[in-house]
Amino acid sequence: MNKAENDYSLKASLAEVFVTDLNTLRKTVESLEVMDTLFKAGMRPDSDSYQLHDLKLKYGKYRIEESSQ
């Protein structure tokens, strides 16, 4: 989070899962799931990038689950 305060590209990346439109969020989560499959197949990026990806995927899924309840 400290890096996100000063890094615009990091803020923009995080903003993908904070959208208000659920259809856009679903598409983003689908994209993140495809990337996750590639990462699990051995194409994992550096530690910070992977942690950011994992955070976005988990939070995106959480928001979709919460909206369906």
Side-chain angles (χ1 to χ4, degrees):
M1 289 307 284
N2 291 336
K3 287 183 181 181
E5 289 181 28
N6 300 322
D7 187 350
Y8 178 76
S9 63
L10 194 54
K11 281 184 182 180
S13 181
L14 284 171
E16 293 177 330
V17 293
F18 288 98
V19 296
T20 56
D21 182 24
L22 284 177
N23 289 328
T24 303
L25 179 61
R26 284 187 183 101
K27 289 179 185 178
T28 300
V29 168
E30 287 175 11
S31 171
L32 290 168
E33 287 174 334
V34 169
M35 289 174 57
D36 197 52
T37 301
L38 293 173
F39 294 161
K40 288 180 181 177
M43 300 175 151
R44 184 177 281 192
D46 65 33
S47 179
D48 288 344
S49 297
Y50 182 74
Q51 288 178 351
L52 176 63
H53 162 78
D54 192 47
L55 172 71
K56 290 182 344 182
L57 180 59
K58 288 177 180 175
Y59 185 67
K61 285 182 176 181
Y62 169 78
R63 285 196 55 215
I64 291 171
E65 287 178 17
E66 287 296 310
S67 70
S68 65
Q69 291 181 357

